[in-house]
Structure formats: structure tokens, C-alpha cells
Coordinates of all heavy atoms in Angstrom, one line a residue:
M1 N 21.4 31.1 -30.2 CA 21.1 31.2 -28.8 C 19.7 31.4 -28.5 O 19.0 32.2 -29.3 CB 21.9 32.4 -28.2 CG 21.7 32.5 -26.7 SD 22.6 33.8 -25.9 CE 24.3 33.2 -26.0
S2 N 19.1 30.7 -27.6 CA 17.7 30.8 -27.3 C 17.6 31.3 -25.8 O 18.1 30.7 -24.9 CB 17.0 29.5 -27.5 OG 17.6 28.5 -26.6
F3 N 16.8 32.4 -25.7 CA 16.6 32.9 -24.4 C 15.4 32.2 -23.7 O 14.4 32.0 -24.3 CB 16.4 34.4 -24.5 CG 17.6 35.2 -24.9 CD1 17.7 35.6 -26.2 CD2 18.6 35.4 -24.0 CE1 18.8 36.2 -26.7 CE2 19.7 36.1 -24.5 CZ 19.9 36.5 -25.8
G4 N 15.6 31.9 -22.4 CA 14.4 31.4 -21.7 C 14.5 29.9 -21.7 O 13.7 29.2 -21.1
R5 N 15.3 29.3 -22.5 CA 15.4 27.8 -22.5 C 16.8 27.4 -22.1 O 17.8 28.1 -22.4 CB 15.1 27.3 -23.9 CG 13.7 27.4 -24.3 CD 13.4 26.6 -25.5 NE 14.0 27.4 -26.7 CZ 13.9 27.0 -27.9 NH1 13.2 25.9 -28.3 NH2 14.5 27.7 -28.9
P6 N 17.0 26.2 -21.5 CA 18.4 25.8 -21.2 C 19.1 25.5 -22.5 O 18.5 25.2 -23.5 CB 18.1 24.5 -20.4 CG 16.7 24.1 -20.7 CD 16.0 25.2 -21.1
P7 N 20.4 25.6 -22.4 CA 21.2 25.2 -23.6 C 21.0 23.8 -23.9 O 20.6 23.0 -23.1 CB 22.7 25.6 -23.1 CG 22.6 25.5 -21.6 CD 21.2 25.9 -21.2
S8 N 21.4 23.5 -25.1 CA 21.3 22.1 -25.6 C 22.2 21.2 -24.8 O 23.3 21.5 -24.6 CB 21.7 22.0 -27.1 OG 21.7 20.7 -27.5
I9 N 21.6 20.1 -24.3 CA 22.3 19.2 -23.4 C 22.6 17.8 -24.1 O 23.1 16.9 -23.4 CB 21.6 19.0 -22.1 CG1 20.2 18.4 -22.3 CG2 21.5 20.2 -21.3 CD1 19.5 17.9 -21.0
N10 N 22.3 17.8 -25.3 CA 22.5 16.5 -26.0 C 23.9 16.2 -26.4 O 24.3 15.1 -26.8 CB 21.6 16.4 -27.2 CG 21.8 17.4 -28.3 OD1 22.7 18.3 -28.0 ND2 21.1 17.4 -29.3
V11 N 24.8 17.1 -26.2 CA 26.2 16.9 -26.5 C 26.9 16.2 -25.2 O 27.0 16.9 -24.2 CB 26.9 18.2 -26.8 CG1 28.4 17.9 -27.0 CG2 26.2 18.8 -28.0
G12 N 27.3 15.0 -25.3 CA 28.0 14.3 -24.2 C 27.1 13.9 -23.1 O 27.6 13.5 -22.0
F13 N 25.8 14.0 -23.2 CA 24.9 13.7 -22.1 C 24.4 12.2 -22.3 O 23.9 11.9 -23.4 CB 23.7 14.6 -22.1 CG 22.7 14.3 -21.0 CD1 23.1 14.7 -19.7 CD2 21.5 13.7 -21.2 CE1 22.2 14.5 -18.6 CE2 20.6 13.5 -20.1 CZ 21.0 13.8 -18.8
Q14 N 24.5 11.4 -21.2 CA 24.1 10.0 -21.4 C 23.2 9.7 -20.2 O 23.6 9.9 -19.1 CB 25.4 9.1 -21.4 CG 25.1 7.7 -21.6 CD 26.3 6.9 -21.7 OE1 27.4 7.4 -21.5 NE2 26.2 5.6 -22.0
T15 N 22.1 9.1 -20.5 CA 21.2 8.8 -19.4 C 21.6 7.5 -18.8 O 22.2 6.6 -19.4 CB 19.7 8.6 -19.9 OG1 19.7 7.7 -20.9 CG2 19.3 10.0 -20.5
T16 N 21.3 7.3 -17.6 CA 21.5 6.0 -16.8 C 20.3 5.6 -16.2 O 19.4 6.4 -15.7 CB 22.7 6.2 -15.8 OG1 22.2 7.2 -14.8 CG2 24.0 6.6 -16.4
P17 N 20.0 4.2 -16.1 CA 18.8 3.7 -15.5 C 18.9 3.9 -14.0 O 20.0 4.0 -13.4 CB 18.8 2.2 -15.9 CG 20.2 1.9 -16.2 CD 20.8 3.2 -16.7
P18 N 17.7 3.8 -13.3 CA 17.8 3.9 -11.9 C 18.5 2.7 -11.3 O 18.7 1.6 -11.9 CB 16.3 3.7 -11.4 CG 15.5 4.0 -12.7 CD 16.4 3.7 -13.9
D19 N 19.1 2.8 -10.1 CA 19.9 1.8 -9.4 C 19.1 0.4 -9.3 O 19.7 -0.6 -9.5 CB 20.3 2.2 -8.0 CG 21.4 3.3 -8.1 OD1 22.0 3.4 -9.2 OD2 21.5 4.0 -7.1
R20 N 17.8 0.5 -8.9 CA 17.1 -0.7 -8.7 C 16.1 -1.0 -9.9 O 15.2 -1.8 -9.7 CB 16.3 -0.6 -7.4 CG 17.2 -0.6 -6.2 CD 16.5 -1.0 -5.0 NE 17.4 -1.1 -3.8 CZ 18.0 -2.2 -3.4 NH1 17.8 -3.3 -4.1 NH2 18.7 -2.2 -2.4
G21 N 16.3 -0.3 -11.0 CA 15.3 -0.6 -12.1 C 14.0 0.1 -11.9 O 13.7 0.7 -10.9
S22 N 13.2 0.0 -12.9 CA 11.9 0.6 -12.8 C 10.9 -0.5 -12.4 O 11.2 -1.7 -12.5 CB 11.4 1.2 -14.1 OG 11.4 0.1 -15.1
F23 N 9.8 -0.1 -11.8 CA 8.8 -1.0 -11.4 C 7.4 -0.4 -11.7 O 7.3 0.7 -11.7 CB 8.9 -1.4 -9.9 CG 9.0 -0.2 -9.0 CD1 7.8 0.4 -8.5 CD2 10.2 0.4 -8.7 CE1 7.9 1.5 -7.7 CE2 10.3 1.5 -7.9 CZ 9.1 2.1 -7.4
P24 N 6.4 -1.3 -11.9 CA 5.1 -0.8 -12.3 C 4.4 -0.2 -11.1 O 4.6 -0.5 -9.9 CB 4.3 -2.1 -12.7 CG 5.1 -3.2 -12.1 CD 6.5 -2.8 -11.9
L25 N 3.6 0.8 -11.4 CA 2.8 1.5 -10.4 C 1.6 0.6 -10.0 O 1.3 -0.3 -10.8 CB 2.3 2.8 -10.9 CG 3.3 3.9 -11.2 CD1 2.6 5.1 -11.8 CD2 4.1 4.2 -10.1
D26 N 1.1 0.8 -8.9 CA 0.0 -0.1 -8.3 C -1.3 0.5 -8.8 O -2.1 1.0 -8.0 CB 0.1 -0.2 -6.8 CG -0.8 -1.2 -6.2 OD1 -1.5 -1.9 -7.0 OD2 -0.9 -1.1 -5.0
H27 N -1.6 0.4 -10.1 CA -2.8 1.0 -10.7 C -4.1 0.3 -10.2 O -5.1 1.0 -10.0 CB -2.8 0.8 -12.2 CG -1.8 1.8 -12.9 ND1 -1.8 3.1 -12.9 CD2 -0.6 1.4 -13.5 CE1 -0.8 3.6 -13.5 NE2 0.0 2.6 -13.9
D28 N -4.0 -1.0 -9.8 CA -5.2 -1.7 -9.4 C -5.3 -1.6 -7.8 O -6.3 -2.2 -7.3 CB -5.1 -3.2 -9.8 CG -5.1 -3.3 -11.3 OD1 -5.7 -2.5 -12.0 OD2 -4.4 -4.2 -11.8
G29 N -4.4 -1.0 -7.1 CA -4.6 -0.7 -5.7 C -4.4 -2.0 -4.9 O -5.0 -2.2 -3.8
E30 N -3.6 -2.9 -5.4 CA -3.4 -4.2 -4.8 C -2.7 -4.1 -3.4 O -3.0 -4.9 -2.5 CB -2.5 -5.1 -5.6 CG -3.2 -5.5 -6.9 CD -2.3 -6.4 -7.8 OE1 -2.1 -7.6 -7.4 OE2 -1.7 -5.9 -8.8
C31 N -1.9 -3.0 -3.2 CA -1.2 -2.8 -1.9 C -1.7 -1.5 -1.3 O -1.0 -0.9 -0.4 CB 0.2 -2.9 -2.1 SG 0.8 -4.5 -2.7
K32 N -2.8 -1.0 -1.6 CA -3.3 0.3 -1.1 C -3.6 0.2 0.4 O -3.2 1.2 1.1 CB -4.6 0.7 -1.9 CG -5.1 2.1 -1.4 CD -6.2 2.5 -2.2 CE -6.6 3.9 -1.8 NZ -7.7 4.5 -2.6
D33 N -4.1 -0.9 0.9 CA -4.3 -0.9 2.4 C -3.0 -0.7 3.2 O -2.9 0.0 4.1 CB -4.9 -2.2 2.8 CG -6.4 -2.4 2.3 OD1 -7.0 -1.3 2.0 OD2 -6.9 -3.5 2.2
Q34 N -1.9 -1.4 2.7 CA -0.6 -1.3 3.4 C 0.0 0.1 3.3 O 0.5 0.6 4.2 CB 0.4 -2.3 2.8 CG 0.0 -3.8 3.2 CD -1.0 -4.5 2.3 OE1 -1.6 -3.8 1.4 NE2 -1.2 -5.7 2.5
M35 N -0.3 0.7 2.1 CA 0.2 2.0 1.8 C -0.5 3.0 2.7 O 0.1 3.9 3.3 CB 0.1 2.4 0.4 CG 0.7 3.8 0.0 SD -0.4 5.1 0.0 CE -1.7 4.6 -1.2
M36 N -1.8 2.9 2.9 CA -2.6 3.8 3.7 C -2.2 3.6 5.2 O -2.2 4.7 5.9 CB -4.1 3.5 3.4 CG -4.5 3.9 2.0 SD -4.2 5.6 1.6 CE -5.2 6.6 2.7
Q37 N -2.0 2.4 5.6 CA -1.5 2.2 7.0 C -0.2 2.9 7.3 O -0.1 3.6 8.3 CB -1.4 0.7 7.3 CG -2.7 0.0 7.4 CD -2.6 -1.5 7.5 OE1 -1.5 -2.0 7.3 NE2 -3.6 -2.2 7.8
Y38 N 0.7 2.8 6.3 CA 2.0 3.5 6.5 C 1.8 5.0 6.5 O 2.4 5.7 7.3 CB 2.9 3.1 5.4 CG 4.3 3.8 5.4 CD1 5.2 3.5 6.4 CD2 4.6 4.8 4.4 CE1 6.4 4.2 6.4 CE2 5.8 5.4 4.5 CZ 6.7 5.1 5.4 OH 8.0 5.7 5.5
M39 N 1.0 5.5 5.6 CA 0.8 7.0 5.5 C 0.0 7.5 6.8 O 0.4 8.5 7.3 CB -0.1 7.4 4.3 CG 0.7 7.0 3.0 SD 2.3 7.8 2.8 CE 1.8 9.5 2.6
D40 N -0.9 6.7 7.3 CA -1.6 7.0 8.6 C -0.6 7.1 9.7 O -0.7 7.9 10.5 CB -2.7 6.0 8.8 CG -3.6 6.5 10.0 OD1 -3.9 7.6 10.0 OD2 -4.0 5.6 10.8
C41 N 0.3 6.1 9.8 CA 1.3 6.0 10.8 C 2.2 7.2 10.8 O 2.5 7.9 11.8 CB 2.1 4.8 10.7 SG 3.3 4.6 12.0
L42 N 2.6 7.6 9.6 CA 3.4 8.8 9.4 C 2.7 10.1 9.9 O 3.3 10.9 10.6 CB 3.9 9.0 7.9 CG 4.9 8.1 7.4 CD1 5.1 8.4 5.9 CD2 6.2 8.3 8.1
K43 N 1.5 10.2 9.6 CA 0.7 11.3 10.0 C 0.6 11.4 11.5 O 0.8 12.5 12.1 CB -0.7 11.3 9.4 CG -1.6 12.5 9.7 CD -3.0 12.4 9.2 CE -3.1 12.7 7.7 NZ -4.5 12.7 7.2
K44 N 0.4 10.3 12.1 CA 0.2 10.2 13.6 C 1.5 10.4 14.3 O 1.5 10.7 15.5 CB -0.4 8.9 14.0 CG -1.9 8.8 13.6 CD -2.5 7.5 14.0 CE -4.0 7.7 13.7 NZ -4.6 6.6 13.2
N45 N 2.6 10.2 13.6 CA 3.9 10.4 14.2 C 4.8 11.5 13.7 O 6.0 11.5 13.7 CB 4.8 9.1 14.0 CG 4.2 7.9 14.9 OD1 4.4 7.9 16.1 ND2 3.5 7.0 14.3
S46 N 4.1 12.6 13.2 CA 4.7 13.8 12.7 C 5.7 13.5 11.7 O 6.8 14.1 11.7 CB 5.3 14.6 13.9 OG 4.3 14.9 14.9
S47 N 5.4 12.7 10.8 CA 6.3 12.3 9.6 C 7.6 11.7 10.0 O 8.5 11.7 9.3 CB 6.5 13.5 8.7 OG 5.3 13.9 8.2
T48 N 7.7 11.1 11.2 CA 8.8 10.4 11.7 C 8.6 8.9 11.3 O 7.7 8.2 11.7 CB 9.0 10.4 13.2 OG1 9.1 11.8 13.6 CG2 10.2 9.7 13.7
S49 N 9.6 8.4 10.4 CA 9.4 7.1 9.9 C 9.8 5.9 10.7 O 9.3 4.8 10.5 CB 10.1 7.0 8.5 OG 11.5 7.1 8.8
T50 N 10.6 6.2 11.7 CA 11.1 5.1 12.6 C 10.0 4.2 13.2 O 10.0 3.0 13.1 CB 12.1 5.6 13.6 OG1 13.1 6.3 13.0 CG2 12.6 4.5 14.5
P51 N 9.0 4.9 13.8 CA 7.9 4.0 14.4 C 7.1 3.3 13.4 O 6.3 2.4 13.7 CB 7.1 4.9 15.2 CG 7.6 6.3 15.0 CD 8.8 6.3 14.1
C52 N 7.2 3.7 12.1 CA 6.3 3.1 11.0 C 7.1 2.1 10.2 O 6.5 1.7 9.1 CB 5.8 4.2 10.2 SG 5.0 5.6 11.1
R53 N 8.2 1.6 10.6 CA 9.0 0.8 9.7 C 8.3 -0.6 9.5 O 8.5 -1.1 8.4 CB 10.4 0.6 10.4 CG 11.2 1.9 10.4 CD 12.6 1.7 10.9 NE 13.4 1.2 9.8 CZ 14.4 0.3 10.0 NH1 14.8 0.0 11.2 NH2 15.1 -0.1 9.0
I54 N 7.5 -1.1 10.5 CA 6.8 -2.3 10.2 C 5.8 -2.2 9.1 O 5.7 -3.1 8.2 CB 6.1 -2.8 11.5 CG1 5.5 -4.2 11.3 CG2 5.1 -1.9 12.0 CD1 6.5 -5.3 11.1
F55 N 5.2 -1.0 9.0 CA 4.3 -0.8 7.9 C 5.0 -0.6 6.5 O 4.5 -1.1 5.5 CB 3.5 0.5 8.1 CG 2.6 0.3 9.3 CD1 2.8 1.0 10.5 CD2 1.5 -0.6 9.3 CE1 2.0 0.9 11.6 CE2 0.7 -0.7 10.4 CZ 0.9 0.0 11.6
S56 N 6.2 0.0 6.6 CA 7.0 0.0 5.3 C 7.4 -1.4 4.9 O 7.3 -1.7 3.7 CB 8.3 0.9 5.6 OG 9.0 0.9 4.5
K57 N 7.7 -2.2 5.8 CA 8.1 -3.6 5.5 C 6.9 -4.4 5.0 O 7.0 -5.1 4.0 CB 8.7 -4.3 6.7 CG 9.3 -5.6 6.4 CD 10.0 -6.2 7.6 CE 10.7 -7.5 7.3 NZ 11.5 -8.0 8.5
Q58 N 5.7 -4.2 5.6 CA 4.5 -4.8 5.1 C 4.2 -4.4 3.7 O 3.8 -5.2 2.8 CB 3.4 -4.6 6.0 CG 3.5 -5.3 7.4 CD 2.4 -4.8 8.3 OE1 1.7 -3.8 8.1 NE2 2.3 -5.5 9.4
Y59 N 4.3 -3.1 3.4 CA 4.0 -2.6 2.1 C 5.0 -3.1 1.0 O 4.5 -3.6 -0.1 CB 4.1 -1.0 2.1 CG 4.0 -0.4 0.7 CD1 2.8 -0.5 0.1 CD2 5.0 0.3 0.1 CE1 2.6 0.1 -1.2 CE2 4.8 1.0 -1.1 CZ 3.6 0.8 -1.7 OH 3.5 1.4 -3.0
L60 N 6.3 -3.1 1.4 CA 7.2 -3.7 0.4 C 7.0 -5.2 0.2 O 7.1 -5.7 -0.9 CB 8.7 -3.4 0.9 CG 9.1 -1.9 0.8 CD1 10.4 -1.7 1.5 CD2 9.0 -1.4 -0.6
E61 N 6.7 -5.9 1.3 CA 6.4 -7.3 1.1 C 5.2 -7.6 0.2 O 5.2 -8.5 -0.6 CB 6.1 -8.0 2.5 CG 5.7 -9.4 2.4 CD 6.7 -10.3 1.8 OE1 7.9 -10.1 2.0 OE2 6.3 -11.3 1.0
C62 N 4.1 -6.7 0.3 CA 3.0 -6.8 -0.5 C 3.4 -6.6 -2.0 O 3.0 -7.3 -2.9 CB 1.9 -5.8 -0.1 SG 0.5 -5.8 -1.2
R63 N 4.2 -5.5 -2.2 CA 4.6 -5.2 -3.6 C 5.4 -6.4 -4.2 O 5.3 -6.7 -5.4 CB 5.4 -3.9 -3.7 CG 4.6 -2.7 -3.4 CD 5.3 -1.5 -3.7 NE 5.8 -1.4 -5.1 CZ 5.2 -0.9 -6.1 NH1 3.9 -0.4 -6.0 NH2 5.7 -0.9 -7.3
M64 N 6.3 -7.0 -3.4 CA 7.1 -8.1 -3.9 C 6.3 -9.3 -4.2 O 6.4 -10.0 -5.2 CB 8.2 -8.4 -2.9 CG 9.3 -7.3 -2.9 SD 10.8 -7.8 -1.9 CE 10.2 -7.3 -0.3
S65 N 5.3 -9.6 -3.3 CA 4.5 -10.8 -3.5 C 3.5 -10.7 -4.6 O 3.1 -11.7 -5.2 CB 3.7 -11.1 -2.2 OG 2.8 -10.1 -1.9
K66 N 3.1 -9.5 -5.0 CA 2.2 -9.2 -6.1 C 2.9 -8.9 -7.4 O 2.3 -8.7 -8.4 CB 1.3 -8.0 -5.8 CG 0.5 -8.1 -4.5 CD -0.7 -8.9 -4.6 CE -1.5 -8.8 -3.3 NZ -2.6 -9.5 -3.3
G67 N 4.2 -9.0 -7.4 CA 5.0 -8.8 -8.6 C 5.1 -7.4 -9.0 O 5.4 -7.1 -10.2
L68 N 4.9 -6.5 -8.1 CA 5.0 -5.0 -8.4 C 6.4 -4.5 -8.2 O 6.7 -3.3 -8.5 CB 4.0 -4.2 -7.6 CG 2.5 -4.5 -7.8 CD1 1.7 -3.9 -6.8 CD2 2.1 -4.1 -9.2
M69 N 7.2 -5.3 -7.7 CA 8.7 -5.0 -7.6 C 9.5 -6.3 -7.5 O 8.9 -7.3 -7.1 CB 9.0 -4.0 -6.5 CG 8.9 -4.6 -5.1 SD 9.2 -3.4 -3.7 CE 11.0 -3.4 -3.7
E70 N 10.7 -6.2 -7.9 CA 11.6 -7.4 -7.8 C 11.8 -7.7 -6.4 O 12.0 -6.9 -5.5 CB 12.9 -7.0 -8.5 CG 13.8 -8.2 -8.7 CD 15.0 -7.8 -9.5 OE1 14.9 -7.2 -10.5 OE2 16.1 -8.2 -9.0
R71 N 11.7 -9.0 -6.1 CA 12.0 -9.5 -4.7 C 13.4 -9.3 -4.3 O 14.4 -9.4 -5.1 CB 11.7 -11.0 -4.6 CG 11.8 -11.5 -3.2 CD 11.0 -12.7 -2.9 NE 9.6 -12.5 -2.9 CZ 8.8 -12.0 -1.8 NH1 9.5 -11.6 -0.8 NH2 7.5 -12.0 -1.9
D72 N 13.6 -8.8 -3.1 CA 14.9 -8.5 -2.6 C 15.0 -8.8 -1.1 O 13.9 -8.8 -0.4 CB 15.3 -7.0 -2.8 CG 16.7 -6.7 -2.8 OD1 17.5 -7.6 -2.4 OD2 17.1 -5.5 -3.1
D73 N 16.1 -9.0 -0.6 CA 16.3 -9.2 0.9 C 16.0 -7.9 1.6 O 16.4 -6.8 1.1 CB 17.6 -9.7 1.3 CG 17.9 -11.1 0.8 OD1 17.0 -11.9 0.7 OD2 19.1 -11.4 0.6
F74 N 15.3 -8.0 2.8 CA 15.0 -6.8 3.5 C 16.3 -6.1 4.1 O 16.3 -4.9 4.3 CB 14.0 -7.1 4.7 CG 12.6 -7.3 4.2 CD1 12.0 -8.5 4.2 CD2 11.9 -6.2 3.7 CE1 10.7 -8.7 3.7 CE2 10.6 -6.3 3.2 CZ 10.0 -7.6 3.3
K75 N 17.3 -6.9 4.2 CA 18.6 -6.3 4.7 C 19.1 -5.3 3.6 O 19.7 -4.3 3.9 CB 19.7 -7.3 5.0 CG 20.2 -8.1 3.8 CD 21.2 -9.1 4.2 CE 21.7 -9.8 2.9 NZ 22.9 -10.6 3.2
N76 N 18.8 -5.6 2.3 CA 19.2 -4.7 1.3 C 18.3 -3.4 1.2 O 18.7 -2.4 0.6 CB 19.2 -5.4 -0.1 CG 20.2 -6.5 -0.2 OD1 21.2 -6.5 0.5 ND2 19.9 -7.5 -1.0
L77 N 17.1 -3.6 1.8 CA 16.2 -2.4 1.8 C 16.3 -1.7 3.1 O 15.5 -0.7 3.3 CB 14.8 -3.0 1.6 CG 14.6 -3.7 0.3 CD1 13.2 -4.3 0.2 CD2 14.8 -2.7 -0.9
G78 N 17.2 -2.1 4.0 CA 17.4 -1.4 5.3 C 16.3 -1.7 6.3 O 16.1 -1.0 7.3
L79 N 15.7 -2.9 6.2 CA 14.6 -3.3 7.1 C 14.9 -4.7 7.7 O 14.0 -5.3 8.2 CB 13.3 -3.3 6.3 CG 12.8 -2.0 5.8 CD1 11.6 -2.1 4.9 CD2 12.4 -1.1 7.0
S80 N 16.1 -5.1 7.8 CA 16.4 -6.4 8.3 C 16.2 -6.5 9.8 O 15.9 -7.5 10.3 CB 17.9 -6.8 8.0 OG 18.8 -5.9 8.7
N81 N 16.3 -5.4 10.6 CA 16.1 -5.5 12.0 C 14.7 -5.2 12.4 O 14.4 -5.1 13.6 CB 17.0 -4.5 12.7 CG 16.8 -3.1 12.3 OD1 16.1 -2.8 11.3 ND2 17.4 -2.1 13.0
V82 N 13.7 -5.1 11.5 CA 12.3 -4.9 11.8 C 11.7 -6.2 11.9 O 12.0 -7.2 11.1 CB 11.6 -4.1 10.7 CG1 10.2 -3.9 11.0 CG2 12.3 -2.7 10.5
E83 N 10.8 -6.4 12.9 CA 10.2 -7.7 13.1 C 9.4 -8.1 11.8 O 8.9 -7.3 11.1 CB 9.1 -7.6 14.2 CG 9.7 -7.6 15.6 CD 8.6 -7.6 16.7 OE1 7.6 -8.3 16.4 OE2 8.8 -7.0 17.7
G84 N 9.4 -9.4 11.6 CA 8.8 -9.9 10.3 C 7.3 -9.5 10.3 O 6.6 -9.4 11.4
T85 N 6.8 -9.5 9.1 CA 5.3 -9.2 9.0 C 4.4 -10.3 9.5 O 3.3 -10.0 9.9 CB 5.0 -8.9 7.5 OG1 5.4 -10.1 6.7 CG2 5.7 -7.7 7.0
E86 N 5.0 -11.5 9.6 CA 4.1 -12.6 10.0 C 4.0 -12.6 11.6 O 3.1 -13.1 12.1 CB 4.7 -14.0 9.6 CG 4.9 -14.1 8.1 CD 6.2 -13.5 7.6 OE1 7.2 -13.4 8.4 OE2 6.3 -13.0 6.5
S87 N 5.1 -12.1 12.2 CA 5.1 -12.2 13.7 C 4.1 -11.3 14.3 O 3.8 -11.5 15.5 CB 6.5 -11.9 14.2 OG 6.9 -10.6 13.9
L88 N 3.6 -10.3 13.6 CA 2.7 -9.3 14.2 C 1.3 -9.9 14.0 O 1.0 -10.2 12.9 CB 2.8 -8.0 13.6 CG 3.1 -6.9 14.5 CD1 4.4 -7.1 15.3 CD2 3.1 -5.6 13.9
G89 N 0.4 -10.0 15.0 CA -0.9 -10.5 14.8 C -1.7 -9.7 13.8 O -2.3 -10.3 12.9
S90 N -1.7 -8.4 14.0 CA -2.5 -7.6 13.0 C -1.8 -6.3 12.9 O -1.0 -5.9 13.7 CB -3.9 -7.4 13.5 OG -3.9 -6.5 14.6
S91 N -2.2 -5.6 11.8 CA -1.6 -4.3 11.5 C -2.0 -3.3 12.6 O -1.2 -2.3 12.9 CB -2.0 -3.8 10.1 OG -1.5 -4.7 9.2
T92 N -3.2 -3.4 13.2 CA -3.6 -2.4 14.2 C -2.8 -2.5 15.4 O -2.5 -1.6 16.1 CB -5.1 -2.6 14.5 OG1 -5.3 -4.0 14.9 CG2 -6.0 -2.3 13.3
E93 N -2.3 -3.8 15.7 CA -1.4 -3.9 16.9 C -0.1 -3.1 16.6 O 0.5 -2.4 17.5 CB -1.0 -5.4 17.1 CG -2.2 -6.2 17.6 CD -1.8 -7.7 17.7 OE1 -0.6 -8.0 17.8 OE2 -2.7 -8.5 17.8
A94 N 0.4 -3.2 15.4 CA 1.6 -2.5 15.1 C 1.4 -0.9 15.2 O 2.3 -0.2 15.6 CB 2.1 -2.8 13.7
L95 N 0.3 -0.5 14.7 CA -0.1 0.9 14.8 C -0.1 1.3 16.2 O 0.3 2.4 16.6 CB -1.4 1.2 14.1 CG -1.8 2.7 14.0 CD1 -0.7 3.5 13.3 CD2 -3.1 2.8 13.2
D96 N -0.8 0.5 17.1 CA -0.8 0.9 18.5 C 0.6 0.9 19.1 O 0.9 1.8 19.9 CB -1.6 -0.2 19.3 CG -3.1 -0.1 19.0 OD1 -3.6 0.9 18.4 OD2 -3.8 -1.1 19.2
Q97 N 1.5 0.0 18.7 CA 2.9 0.0 19.2 C 3.6 1.3 18.7 O 4.4 1.8 19.5 CB 3.6 -1.2 18.7 CG 3.2 -2.5 19.4 CD 3.9 -3.7 18.9 OE1 4.7 -3.6 18.0 NE2 3.6 -4.8 19.4
S98 N 3.3 1.7 17.5 CA 4.0 2.9 17.0 C 3.5 4.2 17.7 O 4.3 5.2 17.7 CB 3.7 3.0 15.5 OG 2.4 3.5 15.2
R99 N 2.4 4.2 18.4 CA 1.9 5.4 19.0 C 2.6 5.5 20.4 O 2.6 6.6 21.0 CB 0.4 5.3 19.2 CG -0.3 5.4 17.9 CD -1.7 5.3 18.2 NE -2.5 5.2 16.9 CZ -3.7 4.8 16.8 NH1 -4.4 4.4 17.8 NH2 -4.3 4.7 15.6
R100 N 3.2 4.4 20.9 CA 3.7 4.5 22.3 C 5.0 5.3 22.3 O 5.8 5.5 21.5 CB 4.0 3.1 22.8 CG 2.7 2.4 23.0 CD 2.9 1.0 23.6 NE 1.7 0.3 23.5 CZ 1.7 -1.0 23.4 NH1 2.8 -1.7 23.5 NH2 0.5 -1.7 23.3

């Protein structure tokens, strides 16, 4: 018996992979602008994500287009009812809309 350590868990313990698999981190900052816009929106909206969903969609689109995550339908990511990233003229317009 060892005090201060959890008991041995290797008996009957089996690891499982994440539901959507693993994906590489953005070490080169390829989608940093989109991530910062999303984080800025969260900060301006008291961490309420609903007004910032367009930025979330833009960030995920960037990650998918750069090969940082597997391409998936936005309906599977819970973003099917968010306007497309192409329909918005610029990200600053979306930020202005999120402040209203």
C-alpha cells in the first residue's frame, strides 16, 4: 500500500481516443487572428459565446482549410445556423454586430 498516491489503476483500465480524434496545435499561428477575434468578442460580451458564434465559425473554417483539423460539416459542429464566413464583408462588421 502506498500512501499519498492513488491505487494502481492498470487493472481493467482501458484508454479510449477522443470522439473527434486528435488534431495538431497551431504552433505557427496560422489561425491566430481568428482566434484573437473570437477571444476579444468573448471579452467584450462577458464570456457569452452566442454573439461570437460567427468568429467561432471563422476560426474553425481557418483550421479546416489549413489542415489543422479534419473537415466537418458545420451542422455537426453546432454552427449550421450561423451566417457563412463569406457572407460577412469583414470580421470587424461581425464584431460590431456582436456588440449590439
Side-chain angles (χ1 to χ4, degrees):
M1 181 180 286
S2 59
F3 293 100
R5 289 190 290 183
S8 177
I9 59 171
N10 58 1
V11 177
F13 184 73
Q14 185 176 5
T15 60
T16 58
D19 290 339
R20 296 201 175 265
S22 62
F23 52 87
L25 297 176
D26 189 8
H27 290 294
D28 297 328
E30 296 178 73
C31 297
K32 185 174 182 176
D33 291 339
Q34 290 84 353
M35 185 265 301
M36 293 305 293
Q37 289 172 344
Y38 177 69
M39 297 304 289
D40 187 44
C41 182
L42 284 176
K43 184 186 276 187
K44 289 180 172 137
N45 289 287
S46 303
S47 296
T48 303
S49 63
T50 303
C52 306
R53 295 184 77 209
I54 186 69
F55 295 110
S56 178
K57 188 172 185 176
Q58 289 172 349
Y59 175 64
L60 292 173
E61 176 59 39
C62 178
R63 287 189 61 86
M64 287 187 277
S65 67
K66 306 277 184 181
L68 294 171
M69 69 181 282
E70 188 176 311
R71 185 155 293 278
D72 199 351
D73 289 333
F74 283 112
K75 68 177 181 175
N76 296 335
L77 300 172
L79 295 168
S80 63
N81 61 345
V82 177
E83 286 186 34
T85 55
E86 305 83 29
S87 66
L88 237 61
S90 73
S91 298
T92 54
E93 289 176 19
L95 184 58
D96 290 341
Q97 287 177 359
S98 72
R99 292 180 189 163
R100 293 182 196 156

